[in-house]
Amino acid sequence: MNSLIKLELTRALRGRKFLFFSVIYPSVLFLIIAGNADSTTKVPGSALTLPTYMMVSMASFGALTAVLMGNSERIAKEREGGWVRQLRLTTLPGRGYVLAKTASAAVVSLPSIVIVFAVAAIVKDVRLDAWQWLALTGAIWAGSLVFAALGVALGYLASGDAVRPITMITYFGLSMLGGLWMPTTTFPGWLQDIVKWLPTHAYAALGQAIEQSRAPHVQDLVVLVASFALFAGGAAWLYRKDTLKA
């Protein structure tokens, strides 16, 4: 399994287009959105300034990009190309294949988080305590596993041609409605009541709680845990279903 993880990491790091969108693109978006923002004015309905608010949002967005976009399409293509079928002939257990995919995506997501933090600190002078930087990095990195599981599920749900539009709709929908591109406090009240149950909203809220030195809301933790259980369970079921068809 270690050899497969190394192979997956090598393949991921060779994808220049993928690295740009997962590592560089979130920092560019942060500069576009928060570049000229006042560093003292608070986001409506929040105790955070726009730079600190969007720093967590864009770091979360980068991690989401790496684990969701990096998993789904590659898995679907490997299924069609027979690579997954070949792996089933080896001693590698099914969970080892899923773990290798998740691990490689998680490693790629870490640089995107760190780069967004570095840009926010250098360009927008965002200042936090050392424990907050560490806690933010750990929380956003660990929380990305929720969407890594979703990426695996989507990879087994659709074929190579169909998985891209399905993933893109899911990706942009979760990003926009979850508040990763703009504060959800700007949404109409009825929409705010709906999006608070989305995993991306809970994901960003976890980091925002750390920035404010407070405990996260129980609802956000419940949403993330329930989403991970749903996505991981769906991925496992789809994997077994695909195995029976092979």
Side-chain angles (χ1 to χ4, degrees):
M1 186 171 68
N2 290 336
S3 298
L4 182 59
I5 292 176
K6 291 178 182 178
L7 174 62
E8 291 297 333
L9 284 174
T10 302
R11 293 174 62 188
L13 294 175
R14 284 178 179 172
R16 295 180 181 179
K17 184 185 294 185
F18 171 69
L19 286 176
F20 171 79
F21 281 103
S22 62
V23 177
I24 306 300
Y25 184 51
S27 299
V28 174
L29 275 182
F30 171 79
L31 291 175
I32 293 173
I33 297 172
N36 296 320
D38 187 343
S39 59
T40 58
T41 303
K42 306 294 184 181
V43 172
S46 170
L48 300 172
T49 63
L50 185 62
T52 53
Y53 186 101
M54 292 309 301
M55 181 184 75
V56 163
S57 295
M58 286 298 105
S60 302
F61 175 67
L64 170 68
T65 303
V67 298
L68 181 58
M69 302 299 290
N71 268 340
S72 59
E73 190 170 349
R74 191 175 298 124
I75 289 174
K77 288 182 176 179
E78 288 178 356
R79 288 171 53 223
E80 288 193 342
W83 173 242
V84 176
R85 190 179 302 110
Q86 290 296 320
L87 287 177
R88 291 195 184 109
L89 300 177
T90 68
T91 58
L92 180 72
R95 64 179 180 278
Y97 174 79
V98 174
L99 178 60
K101 289 294 185 184
T102 303
S104 62
V107 170
V108 175
S109 72
L110 184 58
S112 67
I113 299 170
V114 173
I115 290 176
V116 170
F117 286 172
V119 170
I122 295 171
V123 179
K124 297 302 297 179
D125 198 34
V126 174
R127 294 291 179 264
L128 299 173
D129 293 336
W131 74 266
Q132 289 175 302
W133 289 116
L134 292 174
L136 276 175
T137 303
I140 295 175
W141 198 20
S144 69
L145 295 177
V146 174
F147 306 99
L150 176 59
V152 175
L154 291 178
Y156 279 101
L157 179 65
S159 63
D161 292 332
V163 72
R164 176 173 291 185
I166 293 174
T167 302
M168 293 297 286
I169 292 172
T170 303
Y171 169 66
F172 284 114
L174 287 176
S175 298
M176 289 186 291
L177 294 177
L180 301 188
W181 287 6
M182 65 186 74
T184 56
T185 52
T186 63
F187 294 175
W190 65 268
L191 186 55
Q192 291 184 42
D193 292 337
I194 295 174
V195 301
K196 67 182 180 181
W197 295 103
L198 291 178
T200 38
H201 180 276
Y203 186 36
L206 191 63
Q208 291 157 12
I210 294 173
E211 286 185 314
Q212 297 175 68
S213 300
R214 61 172 176 80
H217 293 303
V218 174
Q219 177 178 317
D220 294 327
L221 295 176
V222 170
V223 169
L224 287 174
V225 171
S227 297
F228 178 74
L230 176 64
F231 298 152
W237 180 78
L238 289 167
Y239 177 84
R240 288 195 296 269
K241 181 181 178 182
D242 190 67
T243 301
L244 293 175
K245 289 166 57 179

